[in-house]
Amino acid sequence: MSLIDDARAVRENAHVPYSRFKVGAAIRAASGRVYVGCNVENVAYPEGTCAEAGAICAMVAAGETEIAEVAVIADSPVPVSPCGGCRQKLAEFGAAAVPVTLATTDGKTLKTTIGELLPGVFDAEQMSRV
Ligand code: THU
């Protein structure tokens, strides 16, 4: 099963009564293990969480902190684009060269990287004087 297939499967569990927009994400960590997440919305709208954030939380809770590959899928006209917050979250655990596949449920894909998704990332180096 490919990483996109994992993201496609977990997308079915998304809790999206407000947007009706289901998203699935899958992360392959350095160990080779795969962690998945879906978006989980809340009646207090800002409390909702993105699929990517869920997958990252699952990875970290399992004791891993290095992302090797990412896949995200949604039923959108073009491959779904991670929000700004999720780009920063991905950059926390993945190098700039880490491959990211963005996909639509009808088979369109866009291959990019964490670095392309967030040029000029704020990182710990910038706090070296602290
Ligand atoms: N969403 C994600 O889960 N990931 C993305 O990459 C884009 C947006 C979710 C957040 C919200 O539940 C819904 O999609 C609509 O914004």
Side-chain angles (χ1 to χ4, degrees):
M1 197 150 110
S2 77
L3 209 55
I4 277 291
D5 291 331
D6 291 313
R8 187 189 297 274
V10 71
R11 177 181 167 273
E12 296 302 327
N13 298 335
H15 175 73
V16 292
Y18 309 105
S19 74
R20 306 267 171 209
F21 187 67
K22 292 182 169 187
V23 185
I27 289 174
R28 191 182 315 284
S31 69
R33 279 188 64 186
V34 172
Y35 301 93
V36 295
C38 55
N39 50 337
V40 180
E41 298 181 349
N42 191 282
V43 63
Y45 295 174
E47 300 303 328
T49 51
C50 288
E52 297 90 327
I56 290 168
C57 286
M59 177 189 78
V60 175
E64 296 210 57
T65 53
E66 194 183 333
I67 296 175
E69 192 181 348
V70 182
V72 187
I73 190 166
D75 181 14
S76 48
V78 294
V80 63
S81 182
C83 78
C86 284
R87 292 172 192 226
Q88 184 74 40
K89 289 181 179 76
L90 291 169
E92 177 76 12
F93 298 105
V98 164
V100 179
T101 302
L102 306 174
T104 66
T105 51
D106 64 3
K108 298 186 193 86
T109 58
L110 175 67
K111 296 211 180 268
T112 183
T113 63
I114 289 180
E116 282 174 358
L117 285 172
L118 191 55
V121 62
F122 172 65
D123 60 21
E125 297 267 302
Q126 295 168 37
M127 295 198 297
S128 59
R129 286 190 223 253
V130 175

